[in-house]
Amino acid sequence: MNGTHPAIRSYLEEVARQIKAKDCRDEIMEELSGHLEELMTSRKSEGADEEEAARWAVAQMGETREVASGLNRVHRPRVPWAMLSALTAVLAVSLVAMYSVQLSYRDGGRMEGVDFVGRHALFIGIGSALLAAFSLVRYRWLLRAPRALYVATIALMIAAFVWGEQVNGASKYIQVGPMLLNVMQWSPYLLIVSAAGALYRSKNRWRDVLGLTLCYTAVPMFLFAATPSFGDWVVYASALALLLIVSGRDRRWAGSHLLLSAGAIAAYVTGTRHGRLRMEAFLDRYDAPADAGYQYIQIEEALRSAGWWGHGFGAAARQLPYIHSETIITYMIYSLGWSFGLVALLAVGWFAALLLRTVSAVQDERGKLLAGGLMAILTTQTVLGIGMSFGLLPISSITIPLIGYGGNALLLQFAAIGIICGVYWRKDIVSLARRNEDRA
């Protein structure tokens, strides 16, 4: 605004002080300045001098308070209240389920005495604060340095593999103070954010495609397999494939990722004893060797015997393993019946539909890629978790988001939803900034 007339500059400064959308204040002022200059030029063509033309142009725009008020209405933050309402419904279902699980464990076993409800409620509270905090983050900052985020994530995965704490035969934990950080559970989220930034910058050249496939498919695949952490790999690979296919930006990267991922899964199923047992148990649970199909049989029996009202709130179900996490939907139906199971599935479906609508409403391409990638992770976990709960998919250590127990996972999910809310919150605010960047 240095070269503009003093009257125009004074007017713009007064409007700028009243603009609430700081993210695009400069862009708004640039557009207003251009419009005022056009009015001045039009007036000067009618014979007015510069001073008169400037004052006339300002008069045509109207009072600064009215102009700023109109701009604030157009560029105000948007809160996805409907999606947050659905989220509240899902969390209510999860607390009911956790209380039933807690009562089920009261008769003995290594989980007896664990305060599932209290801990789950505590993590919901912390997660809600995380959601609010991440919704305030300017999401474009997250996509500015995808390479640095990628390198840091891979370094963490390597550190967990080489120096991490081993739990149940998997070296995927790093000790952080009194907590064990599950690095392989964090990695899909970090890699997807990095991949969204890389996808936005991709020029769809074969050199780029090969480099991106190496970095985002081959290297993570090796580290997930070495840990081992097959469930986290399936979630990440599926979410990345979904992001690449739906975005439609880089079909060659999508094709190479799908081919390499399919080959890796085929090699795991046919080339390892554990993989063969899993597949044999899934395909023929009654004749699978070494009782590998036992869990599928118990899931079938639990669902078949539940009826509409189940076996009672807090009913013991020792035949079902991990009823607080992997098989929580199965247990909800077993204890509370298909009536409650359908309510839970409807709540999850309602939330998923509104999450999709929230992401679809975003026009900024970077924001859509970031929010779409995080939504792909949550969607993948939900579909796989529900499929496993009904014995329709091979069983792995995947928990349904927001419902299953696990503080680490729950906080990650809240943070992801917070980022999605932040993208939606700024969907109108960044419109001018996006247009000016594209023009530049």
Side-chain angles (χ1 to χ4, degrees), residues 146 190-200 216 236 240 243 253:
L190 299 175
L191 288 170
I192 280 290
V193 172
S194 175
L199 184 59
Y200 180 76
Y216 289 98
Y236 167 67
L240 180 57
L243 173 63
W253 183 8

Side-chain angles (χ1 to χ4, degrees), residues 137-148:
V137 174
R138 296 184 182 181
Y139 66 86
R140 287 179 287 175
W141 293 355
L142 297 174
L143 300 178
R144 283 182 176 175
R147 291 182 181 177

Side-chain angles (χ1 to χ4, degrees), residues 171-228:
S171 302
K172 55 184 179 181
Y173 295 88
I174 291 180
Q175 188 78 39
V176 180
M179 297 178 59
L180 277 178
L181 176 65
N182 188 338
V183 171
M184 296 302 168
Q185 198 172 54
W186 282 63
S187 297
Y189 292 88
L190 299 175
L191 288 170
I192 280 290
V193 172
S194 175
L199 184 59
Y200 180 76
R201 290 166 173 77
S202 173
K203 293 180 172 54
N204 201 17
R205 298 174 299 193
W206 272 115
R207 182 179 63 185
D208 297 331
V209 169
L210 293 175
L212 291 169
T213 304
L214 173 66
C215 291
Y216 289 98
T217 303
V219 172
M221 178 178 66
F222 173 78
L223 291 172
F224 279 118
T227 308

